[in-house]
Amino acid sequence: MDLFFLALRYVAIVAIGLLPIMNPLSTIPLFLSLTGRMSEARKHQQAVRASLYAFAILAAFLLVGNGIIALFGISLAGIRIAGGLIILVIAFRMLFAGKDEGPEKADAIKQADMDFSFSPLAMPSLAGPGSIAVVMGYGSSIPDNHLILGYIVVLCGIGITIFCAYLALAGASRIARFLGEAGIQSVTKIMGFLLACVAVQFIASGVRDFVVSFTASAAS
């Protein structure tokens, strides 16, 4: 029972850590621009497909992340620090950027009969480099004696985050009317701050692992 509640706690930690970097609210302007001439049924289909694609992308990187690490000889500490730096850059862009460029970019490719669910909605908007780095960071933190449970926990956290993204995309029109452009920008700033905190934690964890590794090597 204690293990069950501990797993639930880490599911929440994964979701809270991933949600700011994914930031579904920042995808709303792009989604609205791309689907502006689509029917409501078509918009809903795009939201569902984008969410499923994003989940599949993140799940794939979670499951093969360790293989990539082994193939290229990358240390887990290096993955954490690199991921933290990537996330930190994105967080700074969210904190200090002006008006989101999504709608302007989308105007050049907007067509009502095209499928935008995989690109650019699922990747790179929802499952971008930052989200992938977070997922691989959590995957590298799974203890060896709880691999299966650890993957299930991270997948559940991804699923919760993707469900939030689906709700945001499915209700994009209503959310945009309710928050307004200024409201969406404010939420993006808050998400950026939370994301910066997550990035610093990843970097600090990686540096600590490097120090422990070098100390152990020197002692031996």
Side-chain angles (χ1 to χ4, degrees):
M1 185 61 68
D2 290 339
L3 185 61
F4 174 76
F5 286 111
L6 184 62
L8 288 181
R9 177 192 171 197
Y10 279 106
V11 167
I13 290 175
V14 171
I16 292 172
L18 185 57
L19 188 59
I21 179 63
M22 185 175 292
N23 191 13
L25 291 179
S26 67
T27 307
I28 288 178
L30 178 62
F31 181 82
L32 290 174
S33 182
L34 292 173
T35 61
R37 293 186 292 176
M38 295 180 181
S39 65
E40 289 301 320
R42 177 73 169 161
K43 289 181 181 179
H44 184 263
Q45 181 189 62
Q46 291 290 289
V48 171
R49 286 184 177 180
S51 302
L52 292 177
Y53 284 142
F55 180 84
I57 292 169
L58 295 179
F61 272 96
L62 170 67
L63 297 176
V64 303
N66 289 332
I68 294 174
I69 292 173
L71 178 64
F72 291 97
I74 304 171
S75 68
L76 299 182
I79 285 288
R80 293 192 183 102
I81 293 177
L85 291 174
I86 293 172
I87 298 167
L88 191 61
V89 170
I90 296 174
F92 284 156
R93 290 177 59 187
M94 292 169 63
L95 282 169
F96 302 115
K99 183 179 178 181
D100 186 76
E101 297 178 357
E104 286 76 8
K105 292 181 179 179
D107 284 339
I109 58 174
K110 179 174 63 176
Q111 294 182 23
D113 59 343
M114 292 185 65
D115 187 349
F116 302 106
S117 57
F118 185 84
S119 179
L121 291 177
M123 189 177 192
S125 189
L126 294 178
S131 299
I132 292 172
V134 169
V135 167
M136 290 187 66
Y138 282 125
S140 67
S141 302
I142 297 175
D144 293 335
N145 58 333
H146 290 297
L147 279 178
I148 296 178
L149 179 60
Y151 282 123
I152 292 175
V153 164
V154 179
L155 286 173
C156 288
I158 294 173
I160 292 173
T161 308
I162 292 297
F163 181 69
C164 293
Y166 162 74
L167 292 179
L169 296 183
S173 299
R174 292 186 293 271
I175 293 175
R177 286 195 299 267
F178 177 75
L179 292 179
E181 183 179 336
I184 291 178
Q185 289 294 321
S186 298
V187 173
T188 299
K189 303 293 185 185
I190 295 173
M191 290 289 192
F193 173 74
L194 295 176
L195 189 56
C197 296
V198 172
V200 170
Q201 187 64 44
F202 267 81
I203 294 172
S205 176
V207 170
R208 181 197 62 196
D209 290 347
F210 267 131
V211 171
V212 171
S213 176
F214 289 149
T215 302
S217 299
S220 60

